[in-house]
Structures are given as structure tokens and as C-alpha cells.
Amino acid sequence: MKIRQIILASALLVSVSNFAQKDELKKLKKIYDKDVPSAKEVEEYKMNVASLEKVASDEADKMALNYYKVNIPQMELASKGQVPNMMDLQRVYTPKYISELAKTYSDVIDFEKKSGKKTFTDDINEEFTQSKPIILNLAIEMGNQKKFKESASIFHSLYLMDKKDVDQLYYAASYATNGQDYDTALEYYNELIRLNYIGDGMIYYAVNKTNKQEESFGNNKTTRDTFVKVGTYEKPRDEKIESKKAEIYKNVALILVQQGKTDEAMKAVSQARIENPDDANLILTEADLYLKLKDITTYKKLINEALDKDPNNADLVYNLGVISSQADQLEDAIKYYKKAISIKPDYFNAYLNLSEVMLRGDEKYVEEMNKLTTSDKDNKRYAVIKAEREKNFQAVLPYLEKAVELKPDNEPAAKTLMSVYNALEMTDKYKALKAKMNN
């Protein structure tokens, strides 16, 4: 065959191939645009995807192929022609699939941005707006089921689909930490630090009518309000949140300590303090780090420094109570919790934690009482211990009662108060609170 004929034959093959690609793309688009494709059309859709895989050559067609291919599971779901339930959604929107979806959509948008020709970008943005509440709800549900790694993966995919919504990366890092996937969590936290993420604002909650549990919708008020409006959630609640910067550095440091990288942990906290010299919570983070390293001298020095910077910050004083309690420095913990209450009289957590610390000493009374015999000497000692124990219960009673007054539905607080009522033989109050809890 002459050279010219070879060139002509090659050109003909390319043109036929291109025609086939365009034809398959048209067929895919036609089926894809249907709200409820038939099962037969979905099979035809899959066949066209398979055919296109064999002939797609240039980058634009490969992007189109990837876009249509990644949507096969959603086409199958749509063909059922009914509103999918949570089980259907979990079967389709697995963490692996959502990750593939996010990567494909991100690649397509990046390609079309570079090429200057938008074919799928607007569709992707519209689809993401519609599917984000569903995917977000799945991520939250995974977290509620304690599938922390899966939840982290979904939140990270949500971030990849919309990198302006950095809150999703923060939740990905948090759930990865809960799932003890420390390498992944560290990667996400470092990205948050690089982005100079602050994370203050509002968190939106609502009660899931199915499981009666309050769930967080992050900063997504629109999604929360949508679920409340359609009737699957109720009792919406908003909560103002402070900057997460100190918490992020703290978690980075704690993960590094967990991995045995103490020097890196110290550097992380030191860098955070250089950037935020007036942040008393970062001083607490550093103090907590020294506490874990059993360096009590430096720990106490930093505690005093934190108090000097912000003596009337109720949250700071409360956190000092928490750290002191963890260090078994109970007198300091009681002092800090009481101070937090004096600054903020409706501080529920301070009342509850103060009660816990004050009741922690009850174990020693019970242990000693159980060791006593029925001798006259031991009977006298028993009476002394019983009086001391009752005095401690009387001391803790007003704090527990205040906690229950502030949050009547808080079960741990109510149960602890019932135990104290029982120990003090306050039968009427015990029965009244028990009846209220059972209603």
C-alpha cells in the first residue's frame, strides 16, 4: 500500500472513531438527562460507557467518560423511581464511592477550568448542591454509628467537592482522630493549619425523630432547616462556637505525643503560641502536654501564666479545673470549678464536674466502712465516717441540684442527684425526681 493510502486509511479510522465517541456521548447524555430512566435504559447506559472506554482518546472525551461512568450507581438508584430510604442511600453512597465521585468531579472541574470550555461544571455544581445534604446526613449517621473512619472519609470527600467549605475538612480530621487514624488526622489538621482555618461561627443542631438523638449539622443551617422542614428532624438549636485554632494545634500535639514524637509536639505548640501569644487556651494546651510528660513544675508555671492573662474567662478557669482533675489535683480542681461558677452562674458543666470531683472521695469512705468489724471501736469509727460521708453529700447537693435545674433532661446529672438523695435518705425528693425522669 502506498504511503498516501496508509495516511488516508488512518485518517478514516480516526474519523470513524471520533464519530463513534460523539454518538455514544450523545446517547449517554440523553439517558442521563432523564429523571427516572428505565432499567433497560440503564443497561444501555452501561453498554455505552463500556463502548466509550474502548475508543475515548483525547482528554476531553476521557473526562466525559469518567463523569458518566462514576454516575452509574446514581442512575441505578434513580431507575427505581421512588424516594430512596437511608438503607438504599448507604448501599450506594459508600465512603469509597463518595471518594471516587469527589475525585472525578474535582478532576472534571479542574480540566474544564483549564480548557475554558464548560460542559459538565454547571451540572456538577447543581448535582452537588442537591446531593450535599444527603451525603452530609450519611456522614453524620456514620459518626453516630461510631464508624469514624468512614465518616472521616465522607467529610473529606465533601471538602474536595467544595474546597471553600473548610469546615468539612475540620470534621474529617476530628472523626479520623476519633477513629484513631492518626496519620490521616494529622494530614488533615496540617492542611487546616496551612489554610489558616479559624472555624468560629455557629453550629446548628436538631433532634433526629427516628432515634430521638440530637445531631450536629456543622455550620450548615440550610441543611438543618431543610430536614426540619421536611419533618425528619425537630427541635432546632443554634450554638455559638469559638475559634478552633487552639484545639487544632492541641490535637496535632497530642497525636504527635501518641506517636512518640514529643519534640515535634513541642514545636507545634510553640509555633501556635508564637502566632497567638494572647490565646490563653494555647497555654492550656502546652500545660496539658507537660502534664502528659509528668513535668508538673512547668505545668503549674503555665497554669499561673494562663490565669494571669485572663483571670475572668469562665471557660479558661473551667478548663483549668478539667486539667487539674485529670492530674488528680482535686483541691485545685474544686477551686477552679467554683471560680468558673462564680464568674458564670449558669455554667452547667462546671456544676456537674465539681460534683463529680467532690464525690470522688466517697470511694475511700465506702472502702473503709466495708473493712470495719462490729467491735465497739469499729462501730464508733463507722459513726464518724458516716457523718463525714453525709457532710460531703450535703456539700455537693446544692451543686447537683443546680445542674439538674439548668438541664433537667441531662440523665447523668439526674441519676447522680438521685444517688445523693438516696444516700441522704431524702425519700420524697428521690421519688419525685425518679417520677420526673420516667415521664
Side-chain angles (χ1 to χ4, degrees), residues 3 51 99 112 161 200 204 221-222 232 281 305 338 396:
I3 296 294
S51 297
S99 178
E112 293 190 352
M161 288 188 204
D200 53 352
Y204 299 97
K221 183 178 188 298
T222 304
T232 54
N281 282 317
E305 185 182 340
K338 285 184 176 180
V396 80

Side-chain angles (χ1 to χ4, degrees), residues 177-217:
T177 303
N178 290 341
Q180 298 182 1
D181 186 0
Y182 295 127
D183 288 338
T184 301
L186 202 56
E187 177 190 335
Y188 294 165
Y189 279 130
N190 284 329
E191 176 70 2
L192 288 166
I193 291 169
R194 189 187 69 76
L195 294 169
N196 197 29
Y197 173 75
I198 304 296
D200 53 352
M202 297 289 287
I203 292 287
Y204 299 97
Y205 297 89
V207 174
N208 186 324
K209 285 186 177 180
T210 304
N211 59 24
K212 306 301 180 188
Q213 298 294 312
E214 185 177 67
E215 296 174 6
S216 167
F217 286 80

Side-chain angles (χ1 to χ4, degrees), residues 383-424:
V384 170
I385 297 170
K386 187 181 179 212
E388 287 179 1
R389 192 174 180 228
E390 286 180 358
K391 184 179 177 183
N392 188 47
F393 282 136
Q394 290 287 357
V396 80
L397 188 59
Y399 299 111
L400 266 176
E401 287 182 327
K402 184 64 178 178
V404 173
E405 177 192 323
L406 290 168
K407 288 195 177 182
D409 295 333
N410 186 277
E411 196 172 315
K415 283 187 173 179
T416 307
L417 179 56
M418 282 175 61
S419 298
V420 171
Y421 281 152
N422 195 41
L424 292 172

Side-chain angles (χ1 to χ4, degrees), residues 42-67:
V42 171
E43 287 307 310
E44 187 183 342
Y45 183 93
K46 290 182 190 175
M47 286 170 59
N48 279 289
V49 166
S51 297
L52 188 58
E53 271 188 297
K54 296 172 185 174
V55 295
S57 52
D58 65 43
E59 198 170 357
D61 287 341
K62 285 178 181 177
M63 286 293 161
L65 165 66
N66 292 340
Y67 175 79

Side-chain angles (χ1 to χ4, degrees), residues 364-386:
K364 68 179 181 184
Y365 294 130
V366 174
E367 284 178 14
E368 188 176 352
M369 289 169 85
N370 288 336
K371 290 176 184 175
L372 295 174
T373 66
T374 55
S375 67
D376 289 343
K377 181 182 176 184
D378 280 0
N379 283 337
K380 288 176 183 177
R381 178 61 187 159
Y382 184 92
V384 170
I385 297 170
K386 187 181 179 212

